[in-house]
Amino acid sequence: MSAKPFLLAAEGLNKSFDGFQAINDLSFYLDEGELRTVIGPNGAGKTTFLDLITGRTAPDNGSLVWDDGKHDLLKLNEYEIYRLGIGRKFQTPTVYNDHSVTENLLLSLAGSRGIWHSLFGKITRDQCERVAEILTIINLTGHAHRKAGTLAHGQKQWLEIGMLLAQDARLLLVDEPAAGMTDEETHRTGELLLSLAGKHTIVVIEHDMAFVRQISRGRKVTVLHQGHVLCEGPVDQIQNDERVIEVYLGRKSKAA
Ligand code: ADP
Ligand code: MG
């Protein structure tokens, strides 16, 4: 283990499904406050890597530690990992469609005492203020009372990011947020993630290169290929790396 403190450190992770090696000797280190973009062709193992971090899938071997090695994530279950402050946004939004935007945020508030209490209990001033603050961050103040099910696709994605903020997630894992978004929504999502960087640590999996460039300026980008880190570096370097061009950018598909 390196001497430098990392918020998240993965070393030598392996995971195979029926003999197919989806994650192959994967090592990955994340500093607190980083906004890291992970790209790579379809099937590179990006989503599986998030499954390993969140405890959804157990690796065959390797190590995965949190907060400068204070917690061995491989010894914890999904709920315990979530309680450490590791929040995940799936590709398809999973909001409560029949509840208002505000209610969705109340339901996610850290320390919230169950669904019944969140919806029908007395809402404290602190909770109100936190919800208002998050609504501003995710640009949904004007839609606070709308049912989440009636929001546009992009707005639902922002609400879900807001729900991670309400949970007080220290690490936000965001899988392909721009999928299905208009260019305008994608750009605004980029601005939202940039505004959160530093205060939170964020891993974004993405394939839209304009979006990757927008959010990774001056930051490290990781390229995954066949379950392994192919290379890491600034986006310009990545886009000019022969190996990346070969396995990813050279392919005509938009896959990531
Ligand atoms: P990416 O997100 O980079 O597109 P994934 O992590 O979804 O890639 O998948 C990596 C590989 O692992 C794919 O070939 C996929 O079919 C396989 N895989 C992922 N999860 C499972 C699973 N639960 N069972 C079997 N194969 C899986
Ligand atoms: Mg995926």
Side-chain angles (χ1 to χ4, degrees), residues 22-149:
I23 298 291
N24 182 10
D25 191 22
L26 175 63
S27 295
F28 179 92
Y29 306 92
L30 197 62
D31 289 331
E32 179 113 52
E34 254 195 89
L35 166 52
R36 178 79 63 90
T37 310
V38 177
I39 65 171
N42 252 328
K46 303 179 300 295
T47 299
T48 305
F49 180 42
L50 299 192
D51 290 342
L52 297 182
I53 297 172
T54 57
R56 192 175 219 224
T57 303
D60 300 328
N61 50 45
S63 81
L64 196 47
V65 297
W66 173 250
D67 199 4
D68 193 18
K70 287 194 195 79
H71 300 272
D72 179 351
L73 295 184
L74 302 184
K75 292 209 172 96
L76 305 178
N77 65 32
E78 263 188 290
Y79 183 66
E80 291 165 331
I81 292 171
Y82 161 86
R83 290 293 299 259
L84 282 178
I86 300 181
R88 177 177 195 174
K89 211 203 94 28
F90 286 91
Q91 263 170 264
T92 13
T94 47
V95 298
Y96 303 101
N97 282 323
D98 292 333
H99 288 288
S100 72
V101 168
T102 297
E103 285 167 345
N104 269 272
L105 293 172
L106 282 172
L107 285 165
S108 306
L109 273 188
S112 158
R113 280 170 287 163
I115 290 184
W116 183 265
H117 189 272
S118 304
L119 295 181
F120 306 109
K122 194 164 179 295
I123 296 159
T124 66
R125 174 185 288 257
D126 279 359
Q127 288 177 317
C128 255
E129 283 174 1
R130 183 65 184 137
V131 166
E133 195 180 6
I134 294 170
L135 285 168
T136 307
I137 296 171
I138 60 176
N139 214 359
L140 289 180
T141 305
H143 303 274
H145 302 294
R146 266 175 71 182
K147 281 199 172 169

